[in-house]
Amino acid sequence: MKLSDKKATLTFSDGSQGAEFPVYEGTIGPSVVDIRKLYAQTGMFTLDPGFMSTAACSSSITYIDGDKGELLYRGYPIEQLAVKCDFLETSYLILNGELPNAKQKADFEHLVTHHTMVNEQLQFFLRGFRRDAHPMAVLTGLVGALSAFYHDSIDITQPKHREISAIRLIAKMPTLVAMAYKYSVGQPYVYPKNDLSYTGNFLRMMFATPCEEYVVNPVIERALDRIFILHADHEQNASTSTVRLCGSSGTNPFAAIAAGVACLWGPAHGGANEAALQMLEDLLAAGGVDKLGEFVAKVKDKDSGVRLMGFGHRVYKNYDPRAKLMQETCREVLEAMGLQDDPLFKLAMALEKIALEDDYFVQRKLYPNVDFYSGIVQRAIGIPTQLFTAIFALARTVGWIAQWDEMISDPDYKIGRPRQLFTGSPARDVPDLGKR
């Protein structure tokens, strides 16, 4: 963070005392006006619902330029990372700031792989849930419960403890998600296997049974690994900000990540790919490709209340850079699984074609986003729709923990305490009961 030569001056039309504030420049992207002394100098707060114009922190992890359709992890374009690296390499980068060399990569993989098992008592904790409970409800509880089993490393003032907690969370999240799935379908839990990759291990824990040997399909393994990479971090979004705000109180990392899981559950955030696939399934039930023209007409009609899910993005004003990669992966998986003629997938591709060619969508830049394609890929793999957001949480855990650690390490770190513009009743006396 570099102090700019410029300063920002605040003046009031009624002649009240104004104030001057420093301006700081980032490496790239918009500069910020430092208003930390605004209240002390003016007695006023700023009002910014949704924090659309407020930088709540400084960070060196992820950068997004929505106008350019650019996403960088530690300076590296997502398009290059998704093609040249695997998820654990990307995780190492997000946590440590640089890509690993061959030895660092091997050591990190070994460390994560040998922490994938969870305490056996978590099985009994899991059995307290109904079998039809939403996986995100289960995952929120399981992640929060980790602090009861791994309390030997939750002193957040110790960098080594934070490192251990980070490894444990990254390593155990696939095991917890797979356990939640197995519990929901009444199958026995499958323990992790150390000779498989991070993603291959997760696929085995999800889909293997004691009845036969499970062989990981390399096309599916690579597709899911790419989904993990594309969702590993996304700057200061709702769930990441939740993790930071929760963690700012000094709570343990497992509790902070559980808060992130709960926030991610919302359909406006991590539930977007679930909503996109549900839209396709509803459209298929209503007539499929033959009814696509009627559906698109309703989407264009503002009064219809029909929304197009999985298209456009509140951050990317151009094409979502993750979407093109996911589009390629989607086609690879459909071909490998022999699903090119599946009615749902044919419908999805027909809708994609309209969105990429119709002037209404092109002018509004309503291009298919990463959620549209990732939902299709996950369904093809055999992952149930309800589990999509849990998969998202699995991938985003590394970003959350890196952001949390960055905050705790920041010498300017303070507990989060947003202000408000109060619009309720002024102070008043309580009348006697008979006079109310």
Side-chain angles (χ1 to χ4, degrees):
M1 193 162 64
K2 176 188 172 186
L3 184 63
S4 172
D5 294 333
K6 292 189 296 185
K7 291 187 182 297
T9 304
L10 176 65
T11 59
F12 298 97
S13 59
D14 64 357
S16 300
Q17 178 67 41
E20 190 174 79
F21 305 102
V23 174
Y24 286 94
E25 299 173 352
T27 311
I28 47 178
S31 298
V32 298
V33 179
D34 184 351
I35 60 167
R36 281 176 282 190
K37 295 183 179 179
L38 174 67
Y39 181 67
Q41 294 184 29
T42 69
M44 293 185 181
F45 302 134
T46 56
L47 178 64
D48 185 18
F51 308 106
M52 305 307 290
S53 297
T54 300
C57 65
S58 61
S59 179
S60 62
I61 299 172
T62 303
Y63 174 75
I64 297 170
D65 187 323
D67 293 328
K68 292 181 180 177
E70 185 176 63
L71 171 61
L72 309 176
Y73 292 166
R74 301 286 191 179
Y76 292 105
I78 190 66
E79 299 92 328
Q80 295 180 26
L81 290 170
V83 172
K84 297 182 177 180
C85 300
D86 61 30
F87 178 66
L88 285 188
E89 278 181 278
T90 306
S91 296
Y92 184 98
L93 168 69
I94 290 171
L95 289 172
N96 298 291
E98 296 294 343
L99 286 166
N101 60 32
K103 184 180 186 307
Q104 289 168 332
K105 181 178 185 295
D107 289 346
F108 186 72
E109 288 175 348
H110 182 272
L111 188 61
V112 171
T113 299
H114 287 78
H115 281 83
T116 49
M117 284 185 64
V118 298
N119 191 293
E120 197 73 1
Q121 284 182 265
L122 276 168
Q123 290 192 27
F124 303 106
F125 185 89
L126 185 57
R127 290 173 192 170
F129 291 96
R130 289 170 51 118
R131 288 195 184 269
D132 61 353
H134 195 286
M136 288 298 280
V138 176
L139 194 60
T140 303
L142 290 178
V143 174
L146 288 176
S147 58
F149 294 94
Y150 303 104
H151 49 76
D152 60 325
S153 60
I154 55 175
D155 182 352
I156 65 169
T157 65
Q158 300 295 321
K160 190 63 181 176
H161 280 212
R162 299 201 299 270
E163 181 186 342
I164 292 169
S165 294
I167 295 299
R168 281 176 168 165
L169 277 159
I170 294 166
K172 297 179 191 307
M173 190 63 82
T175 309
L176 295 179
V177 173
M179 286 174 67
Y181 170 67
K182 287 295 193 184
Y183 180 71
S184 71
V185 294
Q187 292 183 5
Y189 308 121
V190 176
Y191 289 90
K193 201 173 180 184
N194 291 347
D195 61 349
L196 293 175
S197 72
Y198 183 87
T199 305
N201 209 355
F202 175 64
L203 284 166
R204 181 179 174 275
M205 289 191 290
M206 282 282 293
F207 299 119
T209 68
C211 307
E212 57 189 359
E213 191 62 31
Y214 179 82
V215 178
V216 177
N217 183 320
V219 175
I220 293 175
E221 181 180 19
R222 180 57 188 155
L224 192 57
D225 198 74
R226 182 169 285 183
I227 287 176
F228 291 167
I229 292 171
L230 298 179
H231 289 87
D233 198 48
H234 210 240
E235 214 200 71
Q236 306 307 316
N237 53 75
S239 58
T240 299
S241 299
T242 298
V243 170
R244 280 182 172 263
L245 186 60
C246 181
S248 75
S249 71
T251 190
N252 69 78
F254 302 107
I257 300 306
V261 173
C263 180
L264 190 71
W265 192 354
H269 191 9
N273 52 12
E274 187 175 340
L277 194 62
Q278 186 61 56
M279 174 195 71
L280 289 172
E281 289 177 343
D282 291 344
L283 184 54
L284 185 64
V289 175
D290 293 339
K291 297 292 184 179
L292 205 48
E294 294 178 22
F295 174 75
V296 170
K298 289 178 181 178
V299 169
K300 294 177 181 180
D301 180 2
K302 292 181 180 179
D303 298 324
S304 71
V306 176
R307 292 183 62 198
L308 184 64
M309 307 302 294
F311 291 76
H313 197 281
R314 63 175 53 83
V315 172
Y316 298 108
K317 306 309 177 189
N318 209 314
Y319 199 75
D320 182 343
R322 302 168 299 173
K324 181 170 176 50
L325 294 160
M326 210 61 247
Q327 180 195 53
E328 295 169 1
T329 300
C330 183
R331 297 185 187 284
E332 289 171 7
V333 168
L334 296 186
E335 185 176 340
M337 302 290 290
L339 292 170
Q340 303 95 317
D341 295 326
D342 182 279
L344 187 78
F345 300 131
K346 289 181 76 172
L347 173 64
M349 295 304 105
L351 184 56
E352 174 200 47
K353 188 173 188 295
I354 290 174
L356 293 176
E357 296 176 358
D358 190 300
D359 285 343
Y360 177 89
F361 299 106
V362 173
Q363 289 172 8
R364 289 164 176 77
K365 298 182 178 178
L366 291 175
Y367 303 114
N369 61 33
V370 69
D371 296 313
F372 180 74
Y373 296 112
S374 66
I376 296 170
V377 171
Q378 289 180 75
R379 184 183 187 274
I381 291 172
I383 296 170
T385 307
Q386 275 203 323
L387 206 69
F388 286 2
T389 317
I391 302 289
F392 193 157
L394 187 169
R396 184 55 57 84
T397 294
V398 62
W400 286 335
I401 202 69
Q403 297 271 354
W404 169 83
D405 183 60
E406 182 180 60
M407 178 193 68
I408 299 297
S409 306
D410 188 343
D412 290 333
Y413 142 67
K414 293 180 177 63
I415 184 172
R417 181 61 176 88
R419 302 293 190 166
Q420 66 176 15
L421 174 65
F422 181 68
T423 58
S425 173
R428 50 184 172 166
D429 295 325
V430 178
D432 294 336
L433 181 59
K435 296 180 179 180
R436 296 178 205 168

